[in-house]
Amino acid sequence: MDLRSTVMKSGPAKAPHRSLLKANGLTDEEISRPLVAIVNSVNDVIPGHLMLDKIADAVRAGVRIAGGTPLEFATIGICDGIAMNHAGMRYSLASREVIADSVELTVQAHAFDAMVMIPNCDKIIPGMLMAAARLDIPTVVVSGGPMLAGRFQGRDVDLDTVFTAVGKFKAGEMTEDELCELETAACPTCGSCAGLFTANSMNCLTEAIGMGLPGNGTVPAVYSERIRLAKHAGMKVMELLEHGITARQIMTPDSIRNAMALDMAFGGSSNTVLHLTAIAHEAGADITLDDWQDVSSATPNLCRISPASEMHMEDLYAVGGVPTIMRELDKRGLVRRGAKTVSNRKMGDIVDAARDADGTVVRSIDDPYYPEGGLRVLRGNLAPDGCVVKQSAVPAEMRVHTGPARVFECEEDAVEAIFAGAIKPGDVVVIRFEGPRGGPGMREMLTPTSAISGMGLSTSVALITDGRFSGATKGPALGHVSPEAAAGGTIALVEEGDEITIDIDAGRVTLAVTEERLADRERNSKKPEPRVSKGYLSRYAHFVSSADKGAVLS
């Protein structure tokens, strides 16, 4: 087989290069074999990454079994939960581009022949997939797997339970001792947080897009099966290399469509709209919010995992995981069966070998939770270019809601008002200047949505933002409002008390203010000064696109 690494290691002129490789302890035999990059985001900060050193050991073993030489390097990673609700969250989405760039730089500089990527949390997964699309070499992704749910007062709990409990404590419905007991119990193992939040959503979509082996999204982090899966990933990347199958041969328009269909079927995090749009852009298979809505309209919601229910990722794993959901979708012709996967099987073959739906964790295609997908795109004069809501986590009584705007220029001010009891039933909380450019960095709003829920307002108060939401968010929370306030979007012109109507069934979000009055407000408005004027975020704000375009850098 032709190897990229030949240009770096072969012939007399490359003696200095081989000398450096030998300084790493490599033998002539190892240098002569295909060089496989092991791209690992292991660190001591993120619970989902603590065990990635073990995953990397298993991947290296698999590569060696199949005749390759593995060489590992690291990427950065940010824990969204720890970064939540303070200035640190501005760096989370922005880190996605740094991860993609760093992988591209390292792989290209060292002429690797293939790579196995080991992510496990929110921005790391899409960042690595974006890099895979750019580099277009044989690639397999194997994640660290989901955390097991915790137990508290006789029920399963997760990180979202703790965020919501803060509101309950503020409302006097939980003692400080109970809150402390819950925080200790909620995250009992390593792994990506146990609900269908952004990390687990993206790990599952990695399967559907064909870049991860079956089980990548659902095998629990603490199971030995996860180690075996990692060994197979190392072996499979060598098989892809032998057959000349590269990432962009797998990440095609058909595979992107499969991932979108899965996303709608299980009601994944609304962040997936940002990330899959960005991945598709890198793969040359561009998608728009209209494409998302087309898939949502055609795809029933078959599965509801926390925060949409009390079930967790281990429950989905137990009934067959992603292939089981895809099998149900295939019955309605919603799976592109010919799409390639890293398993060297087509998606149709994986679907045919999958288990039937159990009817509880994964419902039959003929008995869905809802006839449309878990996410919905809304448009209107408040969001001309669209916004996104996780409709599978919205109470039935809040699918249509009209109320007065309560306007905040940042997340912190909104949270303070919610906990102070200043938000009343019927209100529509508007948090603006939190978009990709205005934030900068498009912070997640899990704290305000959890505060609303914890204060007992989730069935009477809506939230709209040009920022984004954690996959743990539930309730009528509309994010990704485009254009954002910093780009002159209508959301910048909303005033306290303006009437806003959200109609999820009709796909509309409307500000009851005339065009003439909005034009007058725009003439008299003054843009706030940028929150960050130097460093990476300043550069990011200058180059980042809008949320409806995936918040990619131009």
Side-chain angles (χ1 to χ4, degrees), residues 178 303 528:
E178 287 175 319
C303 181

Side-chain angles (χ1 to χ4, degrees), residues 125 143 146 195-213 215-219 258-259 262-263 266 268 272 305 313 316-317 321-323 325-326 347:
I125 304 159
S143 76
L196 194 59
F197 313 144
T198 305
N200 288 326
S201 295
M202 286 306 306
N203 279 330
C204 289
L205 295 192
T206 299
E207 278 189 55
I209 207 172
M211 291 296 290
L213 295 170
N216 179 73
T218 57
V219 175
N258 282 342
L262 173 67
D263 203 2
F266 69 10
T272 56
I305 304 297
M313 294 305 294
L316 180 55
Y317 161 76
V322 168
I325 300 174
M326 300 293 282
M347 184 56 70

Side-chain angles (χ1 to χ4, degrees), residues 219-545:
V219 175
V222 294
Y223 283 18
S224 297
E225 184 181 350
R226 175 63 57 178
I227 300 298
R228 297 195 297 273
L229 185 72
K231 289 179 181 177
H232 283 123
M235 290 185 272
K236 279 296 178 185
V237 80
M238 294 300 296
E239 190 176 319
L240 295 177
L241 180 61
E242 180 182 354
H243 294 290
I245 299 173
T246 63
R248 288 182 72 158
Q249 293 176 36
I250 293 170
M251 301 166 75
T252 64
D254 278 352
S255 68
I256 296 289
R257 203 77 173 187
N258 282 342
M260 294 169 74
L262 173 67
D263 203 2
M264 295 303 171
F266 69 10
S269 163
S270 60
N271 279 318
T272 56
V273 175
L274 277 177
H275 298 323
L276 197 55
T277 299
I279 293 163
H281 175 74
E282 294 285 0
D286 287 315
I287 53 178
T288 68
L289 285 184
D290 288 336
D291 295 318
W292 278 102
Q293 186 52 47
D294 287 346
V295 175
S296 178
S297 297
T299 310
N301 179 215
L302 306 178
C303 181
R304 291 192 173 176
I305 304 297
S306 175
S309 78
E310 296 297 315
M311 292 182 283
H312 290 85
M313 294 305 294
E314 61 210 72
D315 299 305
L316 180 55
Y317 161 76
V319 301
V322 168
T324 291
I325 300 174
M326 300 293 282
R327 183 178 176 89
E328 286 302 306
L329 295 178
D330 188 53
K331 294 176 181 177
R332 194 74 62 84
L334 296 172
V335 173
R336 308 293 173 94
R337 294 177 56 88
K340 291 181 179 180
T341 73
V342 294
S343 67
N344 212 14
R345 293 185 291 165
K346 292 183 178 178
M347 184 56 70
D349 299 324
I350 292 174
V351 165
D352 290 342
R355 293 191 229 169
D356 287 319
D358 69 308
T360 301
V361 180
V362 179
R363 288 194 175 186
S364 160
I365 195 80
D366 298 318
D367 181 33
Y369 282 103
Y370 193 72
E372 292 186 357
L375 303 177
R376 186 172 178 89
V377 175
L378 281 69
R379 295 182 188 272
N381 67 339
L382 189 53
D385 293 338
C387 62
V388 180
V389 64
K390 187 171 182 175
Q391 66 173 346
S392 60
V394 177
E397 61 268 37
M398 288 296 288
R399 292 186 67 84
V400 180
H401 177 76
T402 298
R406 304 298 309 280
V407 183
F408 301 93
E409 309 301 323
C410 67
E411 177 187 3
E412 289 84 353
D413 290 350
V415 171
E416 183 179 352
I418 295 166
F419 283 146
I423 303 303
K424 305 299 181 185
D427 286 348
V428 178
V429 176
V430 176
I431 307 176
R432 62 191 180 194
F433 292 101
E434 290 285 8
R437 186 191 305 178
M442 202 179 185
R443 290 194 289 177
E444 286 187 345
M445 303 289 160
L446 178 56
T447 299
T449 55
S450 296
I452 287 170
S453 179
M455 296 290 282
L457 298 170
S458 61
T459 58
S460 62
V461 170
L463 193 153
I464 299 175
T465 181
D466 53 5
R468 59 195 177 90
F469 294 112
S470 164
T473 293
K474 53 185 176 288
L478 280 59
H480 306 192
V481 169
S482 300
E484 62 175 291
T490 309
I491 191 171
L493 306 176
V494 180
E495 293 184 358
E496 189 81 5
D498 285 347
E499 185 180 276
I500 295 176
T501 296
I502 298 166
D503 189 336
I504 294 174
D505 295 324
R508 303 293 296 174
V509 54
T510 307
L511 176 67
V513 178
T514 65
E515 290 186 14
E516 293 77 13
R517 194 170 178 186
L518 287 175
D520 184 58
R521 289 181 185 180
E522 185 172 15
R523 281 191 295 271
N524 294 299
S525 65
K526 182 181 179 181
K527 277 190 178 181
E529 291 295 318
R531 291 191 173 114
V532 179
S533 58
K534 61 182 179 179
Y536 176 70
L537 281 184
S538 178
R539 298 195 301 276
Y540 178 85
H542 183 74
F543 291 107
V544 70
S545 74

